[in-house]
Amino acid sequence: MFEKVFKLSENKTNVKTEVIAGLTTFMTMAYIIALNPNLLTGFATGSPLWNGVFMATCIASAIGMFCMAFLANKPFAMAPGMGLNSFFAVVVANIVSITGMSYVASFQAALIIILIEGLLFIVLSAFNVREKIVNSIPLGIRLGISPAIGLMLMNIGLGSNVGIYAEGNGFAAPFYVMRDFFGALTPSVLQTNMGDAGYTQMILTVITMFVGLFAIVAMAKKGIKGAVLFGMLIASVVYWIGSFAFLHTNPFASLATASFVPPFADMVENTLFKFNFAGLVQIGWFTVITLVITFCIIDMFDTIGTLVGTASRAGMVDENGNMPNMKEALMSDAIGTFVGACTGTSTVTTFIESASGVEAGGRTGLTAVVTGIMFLACMFIAPVAAIIPAAATSAALIYVGILMLQGLQKVDFQDMDQMVPVALMLIGMPISGSIGHAIGIGLISYTIMKMFGGKAKEVPVLTYVISALFLVKFFLAV
């Protein structure tokens, strides 16, 4: 059955490899299941709205991945996008201040913006508009997307994925591995800034991360399939042992009081098809249109960048950098966003963590199916997923990021029209934290260089349009 549906032999893979790849992808992105409702509800853990967003995150992500599997037969995973969810939370807070409505009512009004975005993307995907936008991106920029995403993954792995809150600054802001541990003047300075307990946790985090990373590398060099997954498990064990021995905490303590009953009632009451149209009118149509356009631009190029970059790494593109079934993949992403709005979460998009599953050998939709099933299972076993330490997933993100840098060898660094946009994307993606914005910077620089280099006719008309839209977004949009 799997062979017929997913064409495993044709894609040089098998069921075992796809299952391992799906589990690997899940473990590297499982953090979103709790983090998304945290961000969208102000960390109001356990509240009815939090529970509703939690359920929506699991369901919308799974449905999006099943669409990706059966429509496009691609191994890409989806979930509410990081950055987009934070922006959505800011929008909700602004609606509260503008209208005086409650947070829940404002949240339900903002969901309509995501619903409109999803519907627009379904229409644009059906008429091949999004695919034409993908094809309008110059080859040099396409080649640079994968390594730029690699640097972004490494930045996440060494940064935001493992922020440690400590008493040294009153738990006000996290300390990060690269910035604060490796960037410290001396270890004693960091220890003073963090406090003894926080510094001990930092040491354990760094050790866990690099044990996992080098375990993955060692197994990968020996050709062991599932090296990324096994490396994360090894890193997790190291952290669990360290928690008992040095932090004097039980990493499994949360399981004792955890609830394994999915809060369906809270989703039905607070987020499932709960669209506050009356509240949307109070926002003002100009603001609504501006927000829809903003969400569309960010989501479109985040998705395009992830699909092109990850597909390039997996060898799923032709000599022109085009990926087969791009239309179906983009349609799946659009459906995910639409379902996310209906169930109660912000924009669902293709996740860069999909690269970890691709690196584990995932080549077909079966990988996405496995990841989607795990997201649905998390409605019942979320507490189990929560005990996987962030340091273990960081090891996988860093490893995959390093591998994606290999894409730089395809870039012609003798051609300034390629080199400059790629260089700007390489630095722009990890610093801005946005795949879409970095692509926008690359497209603008490419277009300007061609124009002033006397080669304006070589730039497709659609590239001019997209570059102009990004200029408006960066400098004029209110």
Side-chain angles (χ1 to χ4, degrees):
M1 179 182 69
F2 293 131
E3 174 62 39
K4 182 179 180 181
V5 174
F6 299 111
K7 300 179 175 62
L8 301 180
S9 299
E10 180 180 323
N11 288 280
K12 299 178 182 179
T13 184
N14 54 58
V15 173
K16 179 182 177 181
T17 299
E18 296 289 301
V19 170
I20 291 176
L23 292 174
T24 300
T25 298
F26 167 74
M27 289 184 68
T28 56
M29 62 184 289
Y31 67 87
I32 196 65
I33 294 170
L35 183 57
N36 188 56
N38 280 347
L39 292 173
L40 295 188
T41 66
F43 289 81
T45 307
S47 68
L49 181 60
W50 192 98
N51 289 338
V53 177
F54 162 76
M55 294 294 292
T57 301
C58 295
I59 293 171
S61 301
I63 291 176
M65 284 184 265
F66 294 153
C67 290
M68 183 68 74
F70 295 108
L71 294 180
N73 194 25
K74 299 299 180 187
F76 307 129
M78 285 185 279
M82 289 298 296
L84 286 164
N85 51 14
S86 297
F87 180 52
F88 182 87
V90 171
V91 168
V92 174
N94 287 338
I95 293 174
V96 172
S97 63
I98 292 171
T99 64
M101 294 188 299
S102 68
Y103 190 90
V104 173
S106 300
F107 184 95
Q108 293 168 344
L111 283 177
I112 302 173
I113 296 172
I114 307 303
L115 180 71
I116 296 171
E117 178 197 353
L119 288 171
L120 280 174
F121 277 171
I122 288 174
V123 173
L124 292 175
S125 299
F127 287 96
N128 296 324
V129 175
R130 294 178 82 191
E131 189 172 8
K132 290 179 181 178
I133 291 174
V134 175
N135 294 335
S136 72
I137 297 176
L139 178 60
I141 293 180
R142 291 195 214 181
L143 295 174
I145 290 174
S146 179
I149 289 176
L151 285 181
M152 187 175 178
L153 286 174
M154 293 173 67
N155 187 51
I156 293 171
L158 290 162
S160 59
N161 192 54
V162 283
I164 297 173
Y165 287 85
E167 62 183 349
N169 64 356
F171 302 96
F175 293 85
Y176 295 121
V177 170
M178 182 57 72
R179 186 192 69 188
D180 298 299
F181 182 82
F182 291 107
L185 184 63
T186 65
S188 60
V189 170
L190 179 59
Q191 186 171 10
T192 300
N193 290 338
M194 294 190 72
D196 291 339
Y199 181 69
T200 302
Q201 185 179 0
M202 176 65 83
I203 293 292
L204 177 59
T205 296
V206 173
I207 292 173
T208 299
M209 184 185 300
F210 283 95
V211 166
L213 173 61
F214 292 119
I216 293 171
V217 171
M219 287 186 284
K221 290 179 68 175
K222 293 183 178 180
I224 297 175
K225 291 187 176 181
V228 177
L229 177 61
F230 296 142
M232 282 192 288
L233 292 174
I234 291 171
S236 296
V237 172
V238 169
Y239 192 87
W240 293 334
I241 293 173
S243 295
F244 280 114
F246 303 108
L247 301 181
H248 309 294
T249 59
N250 179 2
F252 311 114
S254 60
L255 296 178
T257 57
S259 172
F260 293 86
V261 179
F264 284 107
D266 286 338
M267 181 179 71
V268 172
E269 182 179 346
N270 291 276
T271 63
L272 185 64
F273 297 109
K274 297 298 182 181
F275 298 120
N276 182 5
F277 289 97
L280 187 74
V281 174
Q282 296 184 48
I283 302 172
W285 290 112
F286 178 77
T287 301
V288 170
I289 292 171
T290 302
L291 288 172
V292 169
I293 293 173
T294 301
F295 272 105
C296 283
I297 290 175
I298 298 173
D299 181 26
M300 181 176 295
F301 285 92
D302 275 5
T303 298
I304 289 172
T306 301
L307 288 173
V308 172
T310 308
S312 297
R313 172 62 197 166
M316 295 179 182
V317 296
D318 59 23
E319 64 277 3
N320 296 316
N322 297 319
M323 184 186 80
N325 295 337
M326 175 63 81
K327 175 182 178 179
E328 290 79 3
L330 291 170
M331 177 62 78
S332 302
D333 181 88
I335 293 172
T337 293
F338 176 79
V339 173
C342 293
T343 53
T345 186
S346 56
T347 305
V348 173
T349 187
T350 307
F351 253 52
I352 55 175
E353 283 82 355
S354 302
S356 63
V358 168
E359 197 55 44
R363 293 295 182 272
T364 74
L366 183 54
T367 293
V369 168
V370 172
T371 307
I373 290 173
M374 291 304 298
F375 264 73
L376 290 180
C378 270
M379 293 190 297
F380 303 88
I381 62 169
V384 176
I387 66 174
I388 302 297
T393 60
S394 281
L397 293 175
I398 295 167
Y399 172 72
V400 174
I402 291 171
L403 293 181
M404 294 186 80
L405 290 176
Q406 294 174 348
L408 286 174
Q409 62 187 331
K410 299 178 182 178
V411 177
D412 183 3
F413 283 99
Q414 302 302 314
D415 181 359
M416 291 291 285
D417 290 343
Q418 279 197 33
M419 185 184 75
V420 172
V422 170
L424 290 173
M425 286 197 303
L426 287 172
I427 194 67
M429 217 171 277
I431 291 179
S432 71
S434 171
I435 296 173
H437 286 178
I439 294 174
I441 293 170
L443 286 170
I444 291 170
S445 62
Y446 174 85
T447 302
I448 291 175
M449 290 179 66
K450 285 289 188 181
M451 288 173 62
F452 286 93
K455 301 178 181 178
K457 293 183 179 179
E458 294 182 6
V459 181
V461 174
L462 194 52
T463 300
Y464 279 115
V465 173
I466 296 169
S467 298
L469 286 173
F470 270 111
L471 284 171
V472 171
K473 167 136 182 13
F474 290 143
F475 295 104
L476 298 178
V478 294

